[in-house]
Amino acid sequence: MSVQETETKPKHRGYLEFGPLLLFFATNYFTKDIMLATAVLVGSTLVALGLSWTLDRRIPKLALFGCIAVTLFGGLALHFDDEWYIQIKPTVISGWLALFLAGGQLLNKAPLKALLGQQMALDDKGWQKVTWVWTAMFAVSAGANEIAWRILSTDDWVTFKTFGLTLAMFGFFMAQAKVLDRYGIKDQA
């Protein structure tokens, strides 16, 4: 890719990012106990964050944000013994991210650049385009989760959350390659 990579992504990063979600799914699938699955999600997310620090001597901003969200909503679900809290987490977080990105753009800030500027280098127009597209993606994700948790069984929602939303976001990020290539700052070396 012609976008300058300002930081290489360690091979273990994928395990640390998706491992807790897969453990959440597996625990729910085999036990049919979303509260146990939520406890596993919270615990494994905290462990993944600790491993990230141990292995890399840094904690990515998005991983920290995700850990706080999982711990908050998962903790509420466990405390109140109510799956609703973990089910609305994707709606609330995706909705908040859409508002955060849109608000930052409307104020002529570059919120996505502040979050991801270490991972990729784009010109200002590229950051603007990517931010608006990501805003739309997060808004659609929030809406999709809101519909899903209301109409699906708990087990089906867990599958939707684990694979549906995750694969949709992965596909979305892959589709951004043309924008990243077009507006990427070329390596001058």
Side-chain angles (χ1 to χ4, degrees):
M1 185 187 301
S2 63
V3 174
Q4 176 185 348
E5 292 287 337
T6 57
E7 176 182 297
T8 58
K9 189 173 184 176
K11 292 181 181 181
H12 59 267
R13 177 74 45 223
Y15 296 113
L16 295 176
E17 291 173 357
F18 297 109
L21 186 59
L22 292 175
L23 287 172
F24 172 69
F25 172 79
T27 302
N28 188 73
Y29 181 81
F30 289 111
T31 67
K32 304 296 184 205
D33 183 348
I34 192 160
M35 289 303 149
L36 177 59
T38 298
V40 167
L41 177 65
V42 170
S44 61
T45 301
L46 291 169
V47 167
L49 201 65
L51 284 172
S52 182
W53 175 255
T54 300
L55 296 170
D56 302 333
R57 287 292 177 227
R58 63 179 284 283
I59 296 174
K61 292 174 191 172
L62 292 177
L64 178 61
F65 177 75
C67 183
I68 291 168
V70 164
T71 303
L72 174 67
F73 285 93
L76 288 169
L78 294 168
H79 178 75
F80 292 110
D81 193 28
D82 189 344
E83 66 192 44
W84 177 78
Y85 291 99
I86 200 68
Q87 289 176 315
I88 66 159
K89 181 193 83 64
T91 301
V92 172
I93 298 305
S94 293
W96 183 86
L97 285 170
L99 290 173
F100 171 75
L101 292 176
Q105 278 303 114
L106 292 173
L107 294 172
N108 291 321
K109 305 292 182 192
L112 209 57
K113 183 177 182 181
L115 290 172
L116 300 177
Q118 296 292 324
Q119 283 83 24
M120 57 188 176
L122 300 172
D123 63 25
D124 290 340
K125 188 171 185 172
W127 282 114
Q128 183 180 40
K129 286 187 176 291
V130 167
T131 299
W132 283 119
V133 172
W134 284 29
T135 298
M137 184 268 305
F138 283 123
V140 168
S141 293
N145 186 71
E146 190 61 19
I147 292 167
W149 78 262
R150 290 174 183 269
I151 66 171
L152 298 175
S153 70
T154 298
D155 292 338
D156 288 343
W157 173 82
V158 170
T159 301
F160 168 79
K161 165 62 179 122
T162 304
F163 299 108
L165 284 180
T166 302
L167 290 175
M169 285 192 183
F170 181 74
F172 165 80
F173 292 133
M174 295 304 292
Q176 293 297 299
K178 285 186 179 183
V179 174
L180 297 176
D181 191 45
R182 181 173 181 187
Y183 295 101
I185 297 173
K186 311 298 186 249
D187 189 1
Q188 303 299 319

